[in-house]
Amino acid sequence: MDPSSVFESNIQTCEFWEAILHTATMWDSDQLRQHAIQEIDELKPNALRYIHLSKTYNVLKWMEPAFVQLCKKPEPISEEEAASISLPLLLEICQVRERRAAISGHSTCSQCLQPRWMSSSGRSTSTCSKCGCYMTAEGVVEQGAKKLRVDN
């Protein structure tokens, strides 16, 4: 039986195809499973969904691209994202993100939590392009007249 003939409707939700993937995996229906994987690929779910589906249904081709996408995204990992990933995987993603930031000279501002450019002007400071604060090598954050000590 051709799996595409079973699903000639225009159902285009990831939830629907995840249910099909679940059923196909449970009943060892390789043809239907491959069809569900193809349909999910066309819907392009976010990286977290790919990681969840990859781990749950053993679709290995989804894990690495999703991992890379999370490592490269400019925004910090959100609480929702962190809660949906295992702690070892979250730590690995954070380590890769930190290494990328150190190599590229980009970091996250400790005050506004936005991506910022780390200055390499010879001074040992980093200036946030979003909120205007800067951090000295000694870990002192200055914003206007306000100075804060930040533990490194």
Side-chain angles (χ1 to χ4, degrees):
M1 176 199 303
D2 178 22
S4 60
S5 67
V6 175
F7 301 106
E8 291 183 1
S9 67
N10 288 330
I11 297 174
Q12 293 296 317
T13 67
C14 197
E15 291 80 12
F16 174 81
W17 289 108
E18 184 177 346
I20 299 300
L21 179 59
H22 172 80
T23 303
T25 301
M26 181 174 65
W27 293 104
D28 291 326
S29 175
D30 288 335
Q31 193 176 14
L32 187 57
R33 178 179 156 84
Q34 290 308 313
H35 184 72
I37 289 169
Q38 178 183 345
E39 291 292 333
I40 291 169
D41 270 338
E42 289 178 17
L43 293 171
K44 301 197 184 318
N46 68 32
L48 291 174
R49 189 70 170 253
Y50 269 132
I51 287 173
H52 165 74
L53 294 172
S54 178
K55 288 169 55 178
T56 303
Y57 302 108
N58 198 30
V59 184
L60 300 179
K61 74 175 190 167
W62 287 338
M63 184 59 83
E64 184 178 346
F67 180 83
V68 169
Q69 184 181 348
L70 280 177
C71 290
K72 287 184 172 183
K73 76 178 211 143
E75 306 85 24
I77 302 290
S78 70
E79 278 189 47
E80 178 187 349
E81 291 169 329
S84 67
I85 312 172
S86 69
L87 184 57
L89 183 58
L90 178 61
L91 289 173
E92 191 173 350
I93 290 169
C94 290
Q95 288 170 349
V96 169
R97 289 172 58 89
E98 287 174 11
R99 276 187 247 123
R100 285 178 48 84
I103 290 169
S104 69
H106 286 81
S107 183
T108 301
C109 176
S110 61
Q111 300 303 301
C112 68
L113 300 178
Q114 296 298 312
R116 67 171 174 184
W117 177 255
M118 300 288 287
S119 173
S120 59
S121 63
R123 298 180 318 172
S124 298
T125 63
S126 304
T127 304
C128 178
S129 60
K130 301 287 183 189
C131 71
C133 72
Y134 70 93
M135 182 182 293
T136 67
E138 296 79 31
V140 177
V141 174
E142 297 184 18
Q143 188 172 28
K146 188 167 71 172
K147 289 186 180 185
L148 303 169
R149 181 81 181 151
V150 179
D151 294 326
N152 291 335

